[in-house]
Amino acid sequence: MREIGSEFMMDSFKRGKNEYCYLTDYPKRYVLSGRTGLYLIAQELQVEGIDSVSLPAYCCGSMVAPFIEAGFSVSFYERYEITNSKAILIMDYFGFLKEETALFAGQCREAGLRVIVDATQTAFSRSRSYDSADYIVVSYRKWLDCLCAAVYSQNGFITQEYTKENTVYVDIWRNAAKKKKAYLETGNGDKQEFLDLYGKANHMLGEDYIGFKASDSEIERFENADSQYIREHRRSNATQLIDGLHGKLNLLFKSLSDEDCPLHVPVVLKQEWRTELRKSLIKNSIYCPCHWPVDEKYPHQKTRFHDEEMSLICDQRYTEDDMKNEIEEILKVIS
């Protein structure tokens, strides 16, 4: 049985034309990671005298960290509600677009807030919320082996462009991705070795992400990814999971709209059941993450999803047979 999920190995996508290199025609900068991009946006807002931001309660600690480290006051919202902060971050989840999100972005803009749209989870979609954004940030390493992110600014950038690169982090991660590819394709090597390298690289990114541009080689990888291939495979795989599990698991999204490109297929189940299901899947080499563990280092507002969400794998690395296997292993546990 082959592995499903976990970190991307080297060459996790087909090369071709990327029709999603530009989500809008706003001025754009490539940076190292999504949190690097959020820190850049915080710097831009500070020049305007803005030092408070409201984030969705259901978010990752890595989205909170850049604003805290930039000295911002951070608050949280659970529903589509305009807060007293001077800036607000808005996002859709797991690649599924909601009309309410776009309408809320427009309302926030009309109310005079600086609107940040985190498009990381909708990187291969066209959302109407982008039209209302002052800033858009999108990280691509969640979608393929590509260590870069992008920041868009509707009115251009005030701050100086980043010039340094975090070459040590990139080299360690690339080494891990190459070793994983060799291990999965030939059986050669030590699995723990590349897992340790991934861990080292990800820890390094968490500790040192501010002020880095993306390297030319990583930008080239993104700009030459076949976006049609990515979209078609993710949509097909997600549809297979949804159809196979509908009525058996609590799916957050039960269908795809024309523009949706799923990052994952999220399900919600009681925390103890989630733990049992994940353990069983791991025994069968299926690695489904939970989004997101609460990071106690930073302010947060816990939601039920933090404890009950699990993300099913549907990305372009996998075939119809892989999805069938994922469904079968899930049904063994929940039936």
Side-chain angles (χ1 to χ4, degrees):
M1 181 183 297
R2 73 180 191 140
E3 178 181 288
I4 297 176
S6 192
E7 293 275 7
F8 288 106
M9 69 179 189
M10 195 76 169
D11 302 323
S12 63
F13 60 95
K14 178 182 176 183
R15 286 179 172 261
K17 182 179 180 181
N18 192 339
E19 297 177 349
Y20 289 79
C21 277
Y22 289 88
L23 294 177
T24 73
D25 59 359
Y26 300 169
K28 173 184 178 182
R29 287 182 183 175
Y30 282 114
V31 294
L32 177 66
S33 69
R35 67 191 86 180
T36 308
L38 288 172
Y39 192 88
L40 168 59
I41 291 171
Q43 288 182 307
E44 291 277 317
L45 292 173
Q46 284 175 322
V47 175
E48 298 183 56
I50 295 174
D51 59 1
S52 62
V53 64
S54 188
L55 306 178
Y58 183 43
C59 72
C60 176
S62 65
M63 296 168 62
V64 182
F67 291 105
I68 295 297
E69 290 169 9
F72 272 58
S73 171
V74 174
S75 60
F76 299 94
Y77 66 95
E78 279 201 57
R79 297 178 180 82
Y80 293 117
E81 53 192 13
I82 296 177
T83 69
N84 293 325
S85 297
K86 296 178 182 178
I88 188 166
L89 186 145
I90 296 169
M91 60 195 249
D92 277 307
Y93 292 93
F94 302 107
F96 295 82
L97 300 178
K98 294 180 67 177
E99 181 65 19
E100 296 92 332
T101 306
L103 292 173
F104 181 57
Q107 292 168 359
C108 290
R109 185 173 180 83
E110 290 176 4
L113 279 71
R114 284 288 182 265
V115 176
I116 307 161
V117 171
D118 191 324
T120 295
Q121 297 188 52
T122 54
F124 291 92
S125 301
R126 309 287 187 194
S127 170
R128 289 203 306 108
S129 64
Y130 303 158
D131 298 333
S132 299
D134 293 286
Y135 296 96
I136 301 169
V137 61
V138 52
S139 173
Y140 298 112
R141 69 189 185 96
K142 312 295 191 302
W143 293 84
L144 63 164
D145 64 296
C146 174
L147 305 180
C148 79
V151 177
Y152 299 82
S153 175
Q154 187 179 69
N155 297 311
F157 295 91
I158 307 168
T159 60
Q160 291 295 311
E161 191 161 3
Y162 297 152
T163 58
K164 63 179 181 178
E165 296 181 21
N166 193 333
T167 54
V168 177
Y169 157 71
V170 173
D171 288 347
I172 293 172
W173 197 97
R174 280 280 155 219
N175 191 20
K178 290 174 183 177
K179 289 181 180 296
K180 179 173 182 178
K181 180 180 175 69
Y183 178 82
L184 293 180
E185 293 184 350
T186 69
N188 296 326
D190 181 356
K191 182 175 183 178
Q192 193 58 49
E193 182 181 6
F194 65 74
L195 290 177
D196 289 344
L197 287 171
Y198 279 127
K200 182 177 180 180
N202 290 333
H203 177 75
M204 182 177 294
L205 179 63
E207 295 294 315
D208 190 19
Y209 64 88
I210 294 171
F212 292 106
K213 69 175 184 176
S215 69
D216 290 343
S217 60
E218 297 299 327
I219 295 171
E220 187 273 338
R221 294 182 72 79
F222 168 66
E223 292 188 342
N224 289 281
D226 187 333
S227 59
Q228 182 176 352
Y229 178 87
I230 290 171
R231 281 180 54 84
E232 286 179 353
H233 277 68
R234 286 180 174 270
R235 285 177 59 85
S236 176
N237 287 343
T239 298
Q240 188 176 347
L241 289 175
I242 291 169
D243 291 346
L245 295 170
H246 185 71
K248 301 177 179 69
L249 269 181
N250 183 11
L251 300 163
L252 272 183
F253 303 98
K254 296 176 176 60
S255 63
L256 278 70
S257 70
D258 290 343
E259 191 54 47
D260 292 345
C261 179
L263 179 60
H264 296 288
V265 174
V267 299
V268 178
L269 61 168
K270 296 292 185 181
Q271 189 173 21
E272 60 271 23
W273 298 347
R274 182 181 75 172
T275 300
E276 179 183 349
L277 179 55
R278 287 189 80 209
K279 285 181 178 179
S280 178
L281 292 174
I282 288 170
K283 288 179 182 177
N284 290 282
S285 300
I286 301 172
Y287 302 95
C288 294
C290 296
H291 293 102
W292 294 265
V294 169
D295 191 335
E296 298 289 349
K297 292 186 299 185
Y298 301 107
H300 58 272
Q301 182 174 317
K302 198 170 185 179
T303 72
R304 63 180 287 244
F305 298 115
H306 286 99
D307 287 336
E308 298 180 358
E309 186 276 342
M310 188 175 81
S311 298
L312 305 185
I313 307 299
C314 65
D315 66 69
Q316 67 276 358
R317 293 174 285 180
Y318 304 113
T319 65
E320 183 177 330
D321 285 342
D322 292 322
M323 296 300 98
K324 182 180 178 182
N325 177 41
E326 190 173 358
I327 292 168
E328 287 176 349
E329 293 302 328
I330 291 170
L331 292 178
K332 286 180 185 178
V333 179
I334 65 173
S335 297

